[in-house]
């Protein structure tokens, strides 16, 4: 029996961008924190307004009284009641007014702010968030104007970047010596200033960064032009005056050098243009990012015809005979299978609730030591759940065993991860290669034979899992899971399973995964005679 449903494009694992350790659920907590502070601030404003209203009424009353008194001072104080009240006001009431004026109404707000400050993001978080935006810009080929205007796919709450925001992004890039992005964002800030946006940032500050970033990329002509523009606005700018002399000196030197070159050579640019994003350590970056955008997928119509949907009963497992699982082929080599409606919304919420209190920085196995450690290419929040601590986790583990036919007793605990905007995991293998013999030594269960990945949320935009070696993309869908073997039956690693989780462009992603190991599978998945089977 075939189970038919329109095919979906692709899948995902995730990880947050470099130096951006705040998970999505932590950021939603910050929203509530900020809401509480706004309420506290409004209470403070109300208290100050009430205080000013009291002072205003007192001033108006005394204004009327003193206006009358000053017209006939002797006659006014000649009245014994007026004389008594004058003494009383000056001796007592003005002191009371002084105390009211000096009363600090901000105590409650400041106290609340001090308590909440411990949950605030720090400089590292802010820089990480900026880097996440820069990575999203590159991965999804977004121009600065699109990001600044908030024109992103799937957004529910449109937001804009101010000149100050663009300037901050440019400064973060500048600090990282990323002059390519410095130029892009300083130019965006300049455009918004030219369009009349009111800002505390002036053009001089923007041009100062912009001219140097352009120079660092080898465009001396443009750097000189921008520096002159800066000096038109601020002729006394010390650094710009120094740069102007230096740029003119370099250009004169190059001009002299060109005179001795051939005619063809003298027609060339006087400076080497080396603009563009910095050269990166990841060789498959271009393929990876293309797949993240849904480009470069290598599934041919002929191969597509061999992919099917079906009902799967787990090899006549009693649990699935009457209610078989919905199974769909996502890819042929490596074979990637998606299970639909395999985890319920109720189970997802329980798993998330169990994981939230213990979310911490995600780790990877260090191939040299075999121990868990944090890594620059995987920065997220994750938690590990054992089957014995909750019946739902135990039930999920057994479901994986029933459907894959593999023993989960030697598998790693269920890992739950939460990723917000910019969440990613760069290309990696789940299994240990031959040059990493100690990767899972401490576990004593052999290599990671297979990966099972639950998708516990939909993602508004981005977040695909891609396999650069084979040109495959799989997209997350809540309630589904994907499964693939990392090792051939011979025990050799399948290098085509190298995969990456694309950055989350809009939304957030909850996933949980189970890494199954070799021990216990000897009779469940016997070896073959071929290394590649």
């Amino acid at each position: 029996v075939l189970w038919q449903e329109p095919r979906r494009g692709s899948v995902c694992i995730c990880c947050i961008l470099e130096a951006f350790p705040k998970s999505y659920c932590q950021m939603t907590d910050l929203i509530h924190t900020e809401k509480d502070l706004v309420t506290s601030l409004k209470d403070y404003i109300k208290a100050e307004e009430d205080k000013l209203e009291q002072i205003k009424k007192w001033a108006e009353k005394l204004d009327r009284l003193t206006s009358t008194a000053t017209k006939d001072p002797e006659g006014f104080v000649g009245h014994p009641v007026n004389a008594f009240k004058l003494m009383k006001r000056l001796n007592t009431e003005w002191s009371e007014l002084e105390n009211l004026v000096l009363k600090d109404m901000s105590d409650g707000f400041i106290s609340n702010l001090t308590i909440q400050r411990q949950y605030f993001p720090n400089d590292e978080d802010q820089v990480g968030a900026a880097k996440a935006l820069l990575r999203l810009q590159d991965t999804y080929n977004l121009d600065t104007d699109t990001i600044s205007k908030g024109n992103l796919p799937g957004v529910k709450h449109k937001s804009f970047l101010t000149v100050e925001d663009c300037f901050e992004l440019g400064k973060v890039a500048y600090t990282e010596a990323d002059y390519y992005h410095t130029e892009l964002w300083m130019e965006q800030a300049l455009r918004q200033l030219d369009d009349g946006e009111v800002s505390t940032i002036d053009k001089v500050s923007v041009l100062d960064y912009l001219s140097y970033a352009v120079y660092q990329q080898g465009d001396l002509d443009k750097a000189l032009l921008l520096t002159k523009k800066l000096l038109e606005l601020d002729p006394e700018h010390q650094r710009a005056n120094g740069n102007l002399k230096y740029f003119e000196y370099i250009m004169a030197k190059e001009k002299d050098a060109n005179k001795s070159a051939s005619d063809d050579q003298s027609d060339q640019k006087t400076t080497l243009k080396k603009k563009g994003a910095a050269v990166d350590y990841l060789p498959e970056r271009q393929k990876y990012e293309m797949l993240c955008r849904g480009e470069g997928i290598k599934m041919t119509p002929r191969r597509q015809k061999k992919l099917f949907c079906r009902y799967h009963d787990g090899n006549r497992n009693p649990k699935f005979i009457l209610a078989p699982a919905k199974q769909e082929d996502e890819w042929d080599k490596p074979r990637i299978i998606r299970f639909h409606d395999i985890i319920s919304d109720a189970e997802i919420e329980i798993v998330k609730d169990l994981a939230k209190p213990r979310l911490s920085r995600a780790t990877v196995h260090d191939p040299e030591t075999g121990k868990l450690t944090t890594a620059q290419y995987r920065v997220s929040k994750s938690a590990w759940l054992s089957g014995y601590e909750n019946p739902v986790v135990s039930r999920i583990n057994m479901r994986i065993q029933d459907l894959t036919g593999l023993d989960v007793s030697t598998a790693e605990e269920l890992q739950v991860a939460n990723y917000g905007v910019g969440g990613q995991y760069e290309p990696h293998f789940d299994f240990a290669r031959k040059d990493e013999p100690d990767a899972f030594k401490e576990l004593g269960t052999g290599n990671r034979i297979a990966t099972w990945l639950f998708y516990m949320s939909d993602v508004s935009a981005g977040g695909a899992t891609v396999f650069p070696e084979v040109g495959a993309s799989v997209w997350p869908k809540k309630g589904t899971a994907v499964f693939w073997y990392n090792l051939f039956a011979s025990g050799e690693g399948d290098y085509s399973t190298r995969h990456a989780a694309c950055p989350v462009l809009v939304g957030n992603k909850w996933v949980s995964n189970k890494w199954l190991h070799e021990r216990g599978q000897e009779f469940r998945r016997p070896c073959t005679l071929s290394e590649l089977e």
Side-chain angles (χ1 to χ4, degrees):
V1 178
L2 290 181
W3 169 72
Q4 296 291 342
E5 178 175 308
R7 282 193 55 78
R8 307 277 172 179
S10 326
V11 152
C12 119
I13 316 181
C14 319
C15 224
I16 291 194
L17 217 103
E18 172 185 332
F20 191 19
K22 292 293 182 189
S23 69
Y24 181 83
C25 64
Q26 285 178 311
M27 288 191 287
T28 57
D29 288 343
L30 290 177
I31 291 291
H32 295 296
T33 296
E34 190 168 44
K35 175 61 177 175
D36 181 57
L37 286 174
V38 170
T39 301
S40 181
L41 179 60
K42 289 170 74 174
D43 290 341
Y44 161 65
I45 293 170
K46 180 67 166 57
E48 289 284 11
E49 287 175 340
D50 291 343
K51 170 181 160 182
L52 286 172
E53 188 62 29
Q54 290 182 58
I55 297 171
K56 184 179 177 183
K57 287 179 179 178
W58 207 86
E60 289 173 350
K61 182 184 74 171
L62 284 185
D63 184 45
R64 291 192 297 269
L65 186 66
T66 54
S67 294
T68 302
T70 52
K71 290 178 182 177
D72 182 13
E74 291 183 5
F76 186 84
V77 297
H79 195 299
V81 173
N82 287 339
F84 164 72
K85 293 186 71 172
L86 176 62
M87 297 302 105
K88 178 175 174 289
R89 280 197 306 274
L90 291 172
N91 183 54
T92 305
E93 294 181 12
W94 276 97
S95 295
E96 291 174 354
L97 178 64
E98 181 184 16
N99 291 334
L100 177 61
V101 171
L102 293 174
K103 185 177 180 182
D104 190 352
M105 312 303 291
S106 67
D107 287 349
F109 170 68
I110 295 300
S111 175
N112 190 20
L113 182 62
T114 302
I115 293 170
Q116 300 288 8
R117 196 182 296 278
Q118 62 183 310
Y119 305 112
F120 282 14
N122 54 29
D123 290 343
E124 182 185 2
D125 295 323
Q126 183 175 331
V127 169
K131 289 181 180 179
L133 266 179
L134 300 182
R135 176 58 60 83
L136 290 173
Q137 179 182 1
D138 290 344
T139 303
Y140 296 104
N141 273 347
L142 301 171
D143 59 65
T144 53
D145 195 56
T146 297
I147 298 174
S148 182
K149 291 179 179 176
N151 295 326
L152 302 177
V155 294
K156 292 181 181 178
H157 309 285
K158 196 169 180 179
S159 187
F160 303 88
L161 291 177
T162 63
V163 170
E164 289 87 347
D165 296 330
C166 297
F167 186 72
E168 177 65 25
L169 287 169
K171 282 206 305 180
V172 168
Y174 182 87
T175 303
E176 297 292 314
D178 177 2
Y179 301 113
Y180 168 69
H181 286 106
T182 303
E183 179 184 2
L184 293 179
W185 283 103
M186 289 303 172
E187 284 186 336
Q188 180 63 31
L190 199 59
R191 276 194 298 273
Q192 291 181 206
L193 284 172
D194 288 339
D195 290 341
E197 183 177 326
V198 178
S199 172
T200 57
I201 304 297
D202 57 32
K203 290 184 180 181
V204 170
S205 300
V206 176
L207 287 167
D208 193 17
Y209 280 95
L210 180 56
S211 59
Y212 189 75
V214 168
Y215 162 69
Q216 284 291 341
Q217 294 181 89
D219 194 342
L220 197 55
D221 293 332
K222 186 176 178 180
L224 184 63
L225 187 68
L226 291 167
T227 303
K228 288 180 177 178
K229 190 174 180 181
L230 189 161
L231 288 170
E232 288 175 7
L233 299 172
D234 183 4
E236 304 302 320
H237 196 285
Q238 187 175 354
R239 184 165 47 250
N241 277 299
N243 287 344
L244 179 65
K245 292 177 182 177
Y246 177 71
F247 294 158
E248 288 176 339
Y249 166 75
I250 293 295
M251 292 186 75
K253 194 174 180 181
E254 289 183 352
K255 188 175 181 180
D256 291 340
N258 286 338
K259 285 181 180 178
S260 61
S262 65
D263 290 339
D264 289 340
Q265 290 173 327
S266 63
D267 288 336
Q268 293 177 1
K269 287 280 184 182
T270 60
T271 55
L272 176 64
K273 303 295 182 185
K274 50 181 179 180
K275 287 191 175 183
V279 177
D280 149 341
Y281 63 89
L282 200 60
E284 68 261 66
R285 170 77 68 193
Q286 187 175 359
K287 284 196 292 184
Y288 153 56
E289 292 185 345
M290 284 181 66
L291 290 168
C292 289
R293 299 191 294 268
E295 304 168 5
I297 297 173
K298 296 181 180 178
M299 177 58 68
T300 63
R302 185 175 180 180
R303 289 166 60 195
Q304 179 87 34
K305 290 178 182 178
K306 297 179 181 179
L307 302 181
F308 296 95
C309 297
R310 65 187 68 80
Y311 285 112
H312 178 64
D313 62 10
N315 295 322
R316 304 293 294 170
N317 187 295
K319 298 176 186 175
F320 293 100
I321 290 176
L322 293 180
K326 301 170 185 176
Q327 196 182 76
E328 176 186 10
D329 294 331
E330 284 284 355
W331 206 258
D332 51 357
K333 292 183 180 180
R335 191 178 183 212
I336 304 170
I337 299 170
R338 187 195 292 267
F339 292 87
H340 288 265
D341 302 322
I342 204 63
I343 183 170
S344 69
D345 288 351
E347 289 173 325
I348 287 172
E349 290 308 311
I350 290 172
V351 170
K352 285 165 63 174
D353 288 342
L354 289 170
K356 282 178 182 178
R358 58 181 94 170
L359 286 174
S360 60
R361 176 83 178 267
T363 56
V364 297
H365 269 97
D366 186 324
E368 295 184 3
T369 64
K371 296 180 179 180
L372 289 172
T373 183
T374 58
Q376 183 181 12
Y377 61 86
R378 190 183 190 194
V379 185
S380 68
K381 294 290 184 178
S382 67
W384 299 83
L385 304 180
S386 300
Y388 64 79
E389 62 185 288
N390 190 282
V392 170
V393 179
S394 178
R395 186 164 70 238
I396 288 171
N397 289 340
M398 288 310 301
R399 189 176 305 153
I400 295 171
Q401 178 167 302
D402 293 337
L403 291 172
T404 63
L406 298 176
D407 187 353
V408 297
S409 66
T410 58
E412 294 173 51
E413 293 178 342
L414 188 71
Q415 182 182 214
V416 183
N418 175 221
Y419 313 90
V421 172
Q424 70 159 12
Y425 195 170
E426 291 183 346
H428 63 284
F429 297 102
D430 281 351
F431 66 91
R433 274 71 68 210
K434 289 182 178 178
D435 59 347
E436 303 167 346
D438 297 330
F440 304 111
K441 187 176 181 180
E442 286 190 353
L443 298 178
T445 53
N447 211 341
R448 287 174 176 166
I449 192 172
T451 296
W452 177 285
L453 182 67
F454 283 112
Y455 300 93
M456 303 196 300
S457 68
D458 292 312
V459 180
S460 300
T465 294
V466 299
F467 294 74
E469 294 295 318
V470 296
S473 295
V474 194
W475 303 90
K477 181 185 176 185
K478 186 178 181 181
T480 70
V482 289
F483 172 79
W484 67 85
Y485 279 104
N486 297 306
L487 307 179
F488 293 112
S490 63
E492 291 294 316
D494 184 351
Y495 283 78
S496 68
T497 61
R498 182 171 171 82
H499 58 285
C502 300
V504 176
L505 178 58
V506 178
N508 82 100
K509 184 188 297 181
W510 279 93
V511 296
S512 57
N513 64 280
K514 194 80 173 172
W515 282 307
L516 299 108
H517 283 248
E518 290 177 292
R519 298 293 175 265
Q521 322 304 345
E522 292 82 359
F523 297 104
R524 292 172 180 260
R525 194 193 188 212
C527 293
T528 60
L529 297 178
S530 170
E531 284 189 0
L532 301 179
E533 291 182 5

